[in-house]
């Protein structure tokens, strides 16, 4: 039976059991939402053991390089040690999208874990469609779980800003990455 080390506890999973199901069955506090590979809430980082390929098929090359997996997309065949994502990269949800002018929108993103960032620092936002761009933080809640940014659209601007200005909706999922 594969053994999973997660947040200081050990969990025995059945061979080929879904990782998220196996952790939740044993009352582990693993984050999740859609269970379908869409929201990225269940993203964990592998710290020991081999990363199952299908567990990374919906992630960006940068996330793959860092050893992230989606627990809801992972079937367990061998022992793994896992941690929650670091505070440098967290899943979030677009909670506000306000038109300021024809070329500027302000957005708010709520993150599932506190994200230690200050006003003026740059963050990278990654959409479900793998569009990404970096912006300075213009506001941050006291609990570090809501960030604000202002996004300008210009001719020849990034596909991410075009997406925010035309197709993004509140409730859309984003990954928030702290710029190194
Ligand atoms: S729970 Fe949404 S991607 Fe896994």
């Amino acid at each position: 039976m594969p053994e999973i080390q997660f947040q200081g506890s050990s969990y025995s999973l059945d061979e080929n059991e879904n990782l998220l199901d196996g952790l939740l069955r044993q009352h582990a506090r693993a984050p999740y939402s859609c269970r379908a590979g869409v929201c990225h809430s269940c993203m964990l980082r592998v710290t020991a053991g081999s990363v199952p390929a299908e567990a990374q098929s919906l992630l960006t090359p940068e996330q793959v390089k860092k050893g992230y997996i989606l627990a809801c997309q992972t079937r367990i065949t061998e022992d793994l040690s896992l941690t929650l994502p670091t505070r440098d990269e967290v899943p979030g949800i677009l909670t506000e999208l306000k038109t300021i002018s024809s070329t500027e929108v302000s957005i708010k993103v709520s993150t599932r874990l506190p994200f230690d960032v200050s006003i003026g620092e740059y963050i990278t936002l990654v959409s479900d469609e793998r569009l990404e761009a970096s912006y300075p933080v213009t506001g941050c809640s006291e609990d570090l779980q809501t960030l604000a940014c202002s996004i300008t659209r210009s001719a020849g601007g990034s596909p991410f800003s075009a997406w925010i200005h035309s197709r993004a909706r509140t409730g859309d999922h984003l990954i928030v990455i702290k710029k190194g």
Side-chain angles (χ1 to χ4, degrees), residues 70-81:
L70 293 179
C72 73
Q73 301 299 304
T74 304
R75 299 231 159 254
I76 289 300
T77 54
E78 58 183 270
D79 296 354
L80 281 183
S81 295

Side-chain angles (χ1 to χ4, degrees), residues 1-14 17 19 21-30 76 78-80 82:
M1 265 192 180
E3 284 291 315
I4 303 300
Q5 307 299 322
F6 175 60
Q7 299 298 98
S9 297
S10 182
Y11 302 90
S12 295
L13 267 65
D14 295 330
E17 184 172 9
L19 172 59
D21 291 345
L23 290 174
L24 296 178
R25 176 170 61 72
Q26 297 173 75
H27 311 293
R29 297 191 62 189
I76 289 300
E78 58 183 270
D79 296 354
L80 281 183
L82 301 162

Side-chain angles (χ1 to χ4, degrees), residues 7-164:
Q7 299 298 98
S9 297
S10 182
Y11 302 90
S12 295
L13 267 65
D14 295 330
E15 187 83 23
N16 281 318
E17 184 172 9
N18 177 279
L19 172 59
L20 181 62
D21 291 345
L23 290 174
L24 296 178
R25 176 170 61 72
Q26 297 173 75
H27 311 293
R29 297 191 62 189
Y32 71 98
S33 179
C34 72
R35 292 181 174 230
V38 175
C39 72
H40 292 193
S41 305
C42 64
M43 199 159 68
L44 301 175
R45 189 201 289 258
V46 175
T47 55
S50 355
V51 179
E54 85 278 1
Q56 297 184 305
S57 60
L58 300 171
L59 297 178
T60 64
E62 194 181 340
Q63 290 165 335
V64 169
K65 208 160 62 188
K66 288 179 177 174
Y68 284 113
I69 59 170
L70 293 179
C72 73
Q73 301 299 304
T74 304
R75 299 231 159 254
I76 289 300
T77 54
E78 58 183 270
D79 296 354
L80 281 183
S81 295
L82 301 162
T83 63
L84 289 169
T86 66
R87 288 182 177 194
D88 289 350
E89 180 166 338
V90 294
I93 289 183
L94 192 58
T95 50
E96 189 178 293
L97 189 59
K98 206 187 274 179
T99 302
I100 306 298
S101 70
S102 58
T103 56
E104 186 183 0
V105 294
S106 73
I107 65 165
K108 283 190 180 163
V109 179
S110 290
T111 57
R112 290 178 191 271
L113 299 167
F115 189 73
D116 194 8
V117 75
S118 316
I119 292 174
E121 264 187 85
Y122 273 75
I123 55 171
T124 299
L125 300 172
V126 185
S127 76
D128 274 349
E129 299 171 24
R130 310 283 182 271
L131 303 175
E132 65 176 79
S134 299
Y135 301 97
V137 172
T138 55
C140 189
S141 63
E142 240 173 63
D143 63 2
L144 298 177
Q145 287 193 256
T146 303
L147 310 167
C149 288
S150 173
I151 299 181
T152 304
R153 182 177 195 172
S154 56
S158 75
F160 182 92
S161 80
W163 170 72
I164 278 280

